[in-house]
Amino acid sequence: MSERSTASADATTEAFVAHRNLLFTVAYEMLGSAVDAEDVLQETWLRWVNVDLDTVREERAYLVRIVTRQALDRLRALGRRKESYVGPWLPEPLLTAPDVAEDVELAESVSMAMLLVLETLQPIERAVFVLREVFSLNYDEIADAVDKSPAAVRQLAYRARAHVAARRPRGTASAAETRAALQAFQRAVETGELQSLLDVLAPDVVYLSDGGGVKHALLRPVVGVDKVARLLATGWWKRDGKRSVELVQINGGPGLLVRIDGEIDGVVAVRVENGYVTGTYHVRNPEKLWGVDRETAMAR
């Protein structure tokens, strides 16, 4: 390989590595699946290495365009898979570094609650919302990424914003409020003590569990403070074996990592509004838990 070819390969690699965390975050927010996001990154790399850098005006925008197109293709395929999914489908939880929580907008955008809201958007709307609202791309850049006109992108962004605004959590919850709610969960799971749970659960709280047909999970949502509190206090998912519950950072906010006999068994995240838990998300599908045994770097 000539010196020029080597220098070009080095520049290609450096650019990809410099933006890798950003590209992963884009793909993950569009897909709600860390495994699929990693696959999209690999596909993006394979296309990026064949690009002549002399033709690239702005590397970040070009890479985001590639990853967005690959994620859109994967998102449509995921939609077909979800149609036959056993029980509620929840996003793959990630163990995140403290710097993700420090970026309030990023933390909200990757929270389990927000990812579930994004699930209600059409694929193209989801892509436009993520690129505009989270990563602050201009309309021309987004138009290039999704193969639409800037005018069409503006309409898509307006529609997606209105859709998300109607469904996103109302009332900002501090990390301290969320942590206090999860500590009440932790006490209930470890001791069966209900009062602390009853104090933090909203009357119409919804509990979702995802076992993917592999692990025992509830096939329908459980609604109501009394039902959810008793369900969690009994530790329904495993009545034998030694349970331990650890407070960790999940998707940019406090979450619980549950172990049975020392092995990771699941993750619990919550949606907190006005000081009360309105949504509880319990992921047990082992195919979705590979991202909670080490921290995942994210960026925007």
Side-chain angles (χ1 to χ4, degrees), residues 81 101 114 123 133 215 227:
R81 288 195 325 216
M114 179 56 75
E133 300 301 316
K215 285 285 191 76
K227 291 180 180 179

Side-chain angles (χ1 to χ4, degrees), residues 9 73 79 84 100 110-111 160 183 195 199 207-208 212 214 264 273 283:
D73 289 343
S84 58
V100 176
V110 299
S111 68
Q183 286 170 340
Q195 189 56 52
D199 290 341
Y207 176 89
L208 297 170
V214 181
I264 293 176
E273 300 179 58
V283 181

Side-chain angles (χ1 to χ4, degrees), residues 22-279:
L22 163 73
L23 299 176
F24 173 83
T25 308
V26 171
Y28 177 70
E29 291 202 27
M30 285 183 60
L31 299 169
S33 165
V35 171
D36 286 288
E38 289 290 354
D39 287 345
V40 163
L41 249 64
Q42 182 63 29
E43 292 163 1
T44 300
W45 165 252
L46 293 175
R47 284 160 177 74
W48 176 243
V49 294
N50 292 315
V51 172
D52 180 358
L53 292 188
D54 291 337
T55 66
V56 176
R57 184 173 59 188
E58 211 283 303
E59 293 171 347
R60 178 182 184 268
Y62 198 103
L63 280 163
V64 167
R65 183 173 69 187
I66 298 175
V67 83
T68 299
R69 291 178 177 177
Q70 298 308 309
L72 274 171
D73 289 343
R74 185 62 63 98
L75 187 58
R76 295 181 181 109
L78 272 177
R80 292 190 291 273
R81 288 195 325 216
K82 290 171 188 173
E83 291 174 1
S84 58
Y85 197 79
V86 179
W89 183 95
L90 292 175
E92 290 180 25
L94 295 176
L95 189 69
T96 49
D99 64 324
V100 176
E102 291 167 5
D103 185 336
V104 176
E105 291 184 3
L106 176 60
E108 184 197 15
S109 72
V110 299
S111 68
M112 298 285 279
M114 179 56 75
L115 290 174
L116 281 175
V117 172
L118 295 182
E119 282 292 311
T120 64
L121 295 172
Q122 294 298 316
I124 192 71
E125 292 175 336
R126 185 168 183 169
V128 169
F129 181 87
V130 167
L131 295 179
R132 179 64 181 171
E133 300 301 316
V134 182
F135 298 96
S136 303
L137 268 66
N138 63 49
Y139 291 113
D140 289 337
E141 290 174 317
I142 300 172
D144 285 341
V146 300
D147 288 326
K148 297 285 185 182
S149 70
V153 166
R154 286 179 181 273
Q155 287 298 316
L156 286 164
Y158 175 81
R159 192 161 65 234
R161 274 197 301 270
H163 186 95
V164 171
R167 291 163 176 80
R168 76 193 313 161
R170 291 173 174 80
T172 303
S174 67
E177 286 178 316
T178 304
R179 193 176 300 111
L182 283 164
Q183 286 170 340
F185 274 62
Q186 185 173 5
R187 286 193 297 273
V189 171
E190 290 178 335
T191 69
E193 190 269 310
L194 277 178
Q195 189 56 52
S196 58
L197 262 183
L198 294 170
D199 290 341
V200 297
L201 295 179
D204 57 351
V205 60
V206 178
Y207 176 89
L208 297 170
S209 61
D210 177 347
V214 181
K215 285 285 191 76
H216 177 50
L218 305 177
L219 297 180
R220 289 180 294 276
V222 176
V223 182
V225 58
D226 291 334
K227 291 180 180 179
V228 172
R230 294 186 185 283
L231 195 68
L232 289 166
T234 57
W236 63 267
W237 58 90
K238 186 90 173 195
R239 296 181 186 276
D240 55 352
K242 183 180 179 182
R243 287 198 304 268
S244 65
V245 185
E246 178 185 1
L247 190 64
V248 294
Q249 285 289 315
I250 295 293
N251 287 56
L256 296 179
L257 186 62
V258 182
R259 287 185 171 87
I260 303 292
D261 294 331
E263 298 293 326
I264 293 176
D265 182 78
V267 166
V268 177
V270 295
R271 168 173 170 159
V272 178
E273 300 179 58
N274 299 317
Y276 291 94
V277 175
T278 58

